[in-house]
Amino acid sequence: MLPFIAEEIWVPGQCVIGLQWGDEAKGKLVDLLTEGKDLVVRYQGGANAGHTVVIGDDVYKLHHIPSGILNEGVLNLITPGVVINPPTILAEINSLAERGIVVADRMKISCRAHVVMPWHVLEDKMWNELVSGEDNIGTTLRGIGPCYGDKIGRSFAIRMGDLIQPDFADRVRRIVAVKKQVLSAASGNQDVALDAEAIISEYTEYANQLKPMITDTNRILLDAVDADKNILFEGAQGSLLDIDHGTFPFVTSSNSSGVGISTGSGVPGNWIEKVIGVTKSYATRVGGGPFPTEQENDKGQHIRDMGNEYGTTTGRPRRCGWFDAVAARYTARLGGVTSVALTMLDVLSKLEEIEVCVAYELKGERIDYFPSHVNDLRNLTPIYETLPGWQIDVTGARSLDDLPLGAVQYARKIESLIGRRIEFISVGPDRAQTIHIPEGKSLEAHLKAKTA
Ligand code: GDP
Ligand code: IMO
Ligand code: MG
């Protein structure tokens, strides 16, 4: 058990979700919390995710595979809410094998999970090209939206279980015939690069390789729940990218907030005891869409440089800005968050002053809620409070006592604005660069003792 994490953390049903627009360091948290777990479950999203785990000199970038894979003795599940790109997941499995991690022994994939097919990637690219300017979503081009679209539409969907059914070939032929017509009409190109027979033989081969891992994960998960096993759920993306509750249409196509745990995995919602909401000490976003506290200036560039804020999946520079407490409070409440992990505190260490958005001004009025419409989100003005920086390197801190008072005061301010207890503070990418604040201890009590 990691020495700096107190025992009370090991409860049976626990989830890690992002409270912002993704890349909050969920992968780091999941890896940390995997110890002592029986199962780690990825329940939504697909290869659009990029979760980084740093263990000493080893850096792992995981897209499809749950971040629990690096711990032996843990079963990793990919459940029905995930969309899977077979060649991509196989490449990930092979690259882990080259590093000595045999995924097949420790991972199962739901036969209900939908398959990202070549036409989905073509559609994603084409729909992105057809919409320009500020309406462009700027997706990861991994075929995510079109695949989820076909899942909801049903008629043109393929699930992992279908890959190994006798009617797979006919299904592909039927779908390709329609997709070619649609893509030709949309692009004006009569020669859409979709060859049904080539796809059938390619995907049959992928299915052969993945077959030992494809199963009904609902049965495994419900049996595990009955047996009171320790299960950790790994959210992908961030709550503000949630298809129903995020900054629509600039979102991903799954329920990436806390409300998606149950639908994506197949466990009853009331069984999840603990939801850890992960948030950066500032804010970032990749792709298009409103970002009220964005700093398109030297402050934003400073954060990007200090935090190495470039996308794990696409390498795109991440848009950077100040912490938005209105948004984080909204997503923490939406997701039933029980405690918060505040990450990247080290990134702010050089700043003299740090701004925190505490409310918005919209149409001349001060508001403290997160607006639902993209036009309101675009037109509001953040109201900031300015806090002093601490200007001391915190990357070596391992307890609250090691942190400068200014850094604890900053964290406490964020905690009080979100309205949820901060349980973890992360001061660097490595597992060890983490401060755990167990129940019974608090930032407030720490500050009182220090300033008495
Ligand atoms: P995820 O998608 O939420 O898992 O996050 P990503 O892995 O895409 O992005 C987080 C990045 O920040 C990764 O490169 C991590 O290694 C790194 N990271 C995690 N925690 C910290 C931290 O506390 N400080 C710094 N400087 N980097 C961190
Ligand atoms: P992790 O799990 C950050 C963003 C894309 C785009 C929008 C829609 O690493 O936090 P999509 O390809 O999903 O249709 O793109 O969502 N996006 C992410 N941004 N982190 C992610 O995942 C993301 N997954 C999708 O940039 O704006
Ligand atoms: Mg990421």
Side-chain angles (χ1 to χ4, degrees):
M1 204 163 277
L2 294 169
F4 53 91
I5 298 189
E7 286 205 5
E8 96 247 357
I9 190 86
W10 316 107
V11 298
Q14 194 173 120
C15 186
V16 170
I17 58 165
L19 294 184
Q20 299 169 305
W21 285 283
D23 305 324
E24 298 91 346
K26 300 174 291 295
K28 168 176 170 165
L29 259 291
V30 170
D31 169 62
L32 265 185
L33 299 175
T34 293
E35 218 180 292
K37 295 286 180 290
D38 300 301
L39 287 97
V40 174
V41 178
R42 253 297 293 277
Y43 55 89
Q44 44 74 224
N48 49 350
H51 296 177
T52 315
V53 178
V54 179
I55 307 169
D57 291 337
D58 292 322
V59 180
Y60 299 88
K61 293 189 183 292
L62 301 162
H63 299 282
H64 263 313
I65 296 179
S67 303
I69 201 74
L70 305 172
N71 271 272
E72 276 179 54
V74 175
L75 179 63
N76 292 270
L77 297 185
I78 299 182
T79 55
V82 177
V83 291
I84 293 171
N85 184 317
T88 312
I89 198 169
L90 281 166
E92 214 173 318
I93 291 170
N94 292 336
S95 98
L96 284 170
E98 281 166 18
R99 301 174 76 174
I101 296 158
V102 184
V103 174
D105 295 349
R106 339 181 177 157
M107 189 174 83
K108 296 287 173 203
I109 302 169
S110 174
C111 51
R112 291 182 168 90
H114 283 249
V115 186
V116 177
M117 296 296 289
W119 49 84
H120 293 135
V121 179
L122 286 180
E123 286 172 336
D124 203 1
K125 285 188 179 136
M126 199 172 291
W127 305 159
N128 259 274
E129 279 161 17
L130 291 174
V131 182
S132 57
E134 68 166 15
D135 290 332
N136 187 286
I137 297 173
T139 75
T140 59
L141 303 179
R142 298 293 187 273
I144 303 295
C147 181
Y148 277 113
D150 279 341
K151 166 179 168 169
I152 302 300
R154 296 156 298 166
S155 303
F156 302 112
I158 294 182
R159 307 203 293 179
M160 290 303 286
D162 297 330
L163 293 177
I164 45 180
Q165 291 294 321
D167 63 350
F168 172 63
D170 284 345
R171 207 176 170 76
V172 170
R173 287 186 195 109
R174 176 171 64 74
I175 295 172
V176 165
V178 176
K179 292 285 179 183
K180 277 181 107 157
Q181 286 185 37
V182 173
L183 286 164
S184 292
S187 66
N189 172 10
Q190 292 309 304
D191 206 16
V192 175
L194 284 176
D195 177 343
E197 300 312 315
I199 293 171
I200 291 162
S201 71
E202 198 182 327
Y203 279 71
T204 303
E205 177 49 30
Y206 297 144
N208 285 337
Q209 292 180 47
L210 291 169
K211 201 172 173 179
M213 284 174 265
I214 302 174
T215 187
D216 181 358
T217 58
N218 287 47
R219 283 175 56 194
I220 298 177
L221 204 49
L222 291 174
D223 285 349
V225 167
D226 284 349
D228 229 12
K229 297 271 188 200
N230 286 306
I231 309 176
L232 178 63
F233 296 84
E234 174 175 11
Q237 288 77 54
S239 303
L240 295 170
L241 290 173
D242 186 289
I243 182 76
D244 291 304
H245 309 287
T247 52
F248 190 89
F250 301 95
V251 291
T252 190
S253 298
S254 62
N255 283 118
S256 52
S257 70
V259 302
I261 307 167
S262 185
T263 50
S265 65
V267 298
N270 63 1
W271 187 76
I272 311 285
E273 279 178 60
K274 182 162 179 149
V275 181
I276 299 170
V278 191
T279 173
K280 298 187 192 200
S281 307
Y282 46 93
T284 64
R285 166 159 215 171
V286 200
F291 180 2
T293 61
E294 181 170 18
Q295 299 298 302
E296 289 179 282
N297 52 34
D298 56 343
K299 291 277 165 41
Q301 188 58 44
H302 175 83
I303 293 173
R304 188 173 301 114
D305 292 342
M306 294 294 111
N308 190 25
E309 291 292 0
Y310 295 87
T312 310
T313 300
T314 57
R316 289 178 287 179
R318 294 178 183 142
R319 299 159 64 192
C320 296
W322 299 122
F323 182 79
D324 184 339
V326 183
R329 187 174 145 74
Y330 164 59
T331 53
R333 291 164 69 209
L334 174 72
V337 162
T338 48
S339 65
V340 168
L342 183 69
T343 63
M344 324 271 191
L345 193 62
D346 54 302
V347 172
L348 301 180
S349 286
K350 289 196 172 152
L351 294 168
E352 273 174 40
E353 288 182 332
I354 305 168
E355 312 237 36
V356 173
C357 168
V358 295
Y360 304 133
E361 192 183 303
L362 180 65
K363 296 171 192 153
E365 257 183 62
R366 183 185 169 111
I367 59 166
D368 62 2
Y369 60 86
F370 195 73
S372 59
H373 202 279
V374 70
N375 289 345
D376 286 340
L377 285 163
R378 277 184 177 138
N379 290 327
L380 54 75
T381 309
I383 299 172
Y384 291 109
E385 270 185 31
T386 305
L387 303 182
W390 46 91
Q391 295 179 289
I392 296 172
D393 179 14
V394 295
T395 52
R398 299 293 176 268
S399 74
L400 288 181
D401 284 325
D402 299 336
L403 284 178
L405 214 54
V408 183
Q409 279 162 341
Y410 181 75
R412 171 64 194 137
K413 179 74 187 180
I414 287 184
E415 181 180 72
S416 66
L417 289 167
I418 298 179
R420 294 292 188 277
R421 180 173 95 80
I422 289 185
E423 185 176 9
F424 294 92
I425 296 178
S426 173
V427 293
D430 197 84
R431 265 182 188 173
Q433 290 176 296
T434 313
I435 298 168
H436 184 224
I437 305 151
E439 259 172 58
K441 288 202 173 172
S442 72
L443 296 176
E444 198 177 10
H446 176 88
L447 285 172
K448 260 193 194 141
K450 291 284 168 186
T451 51

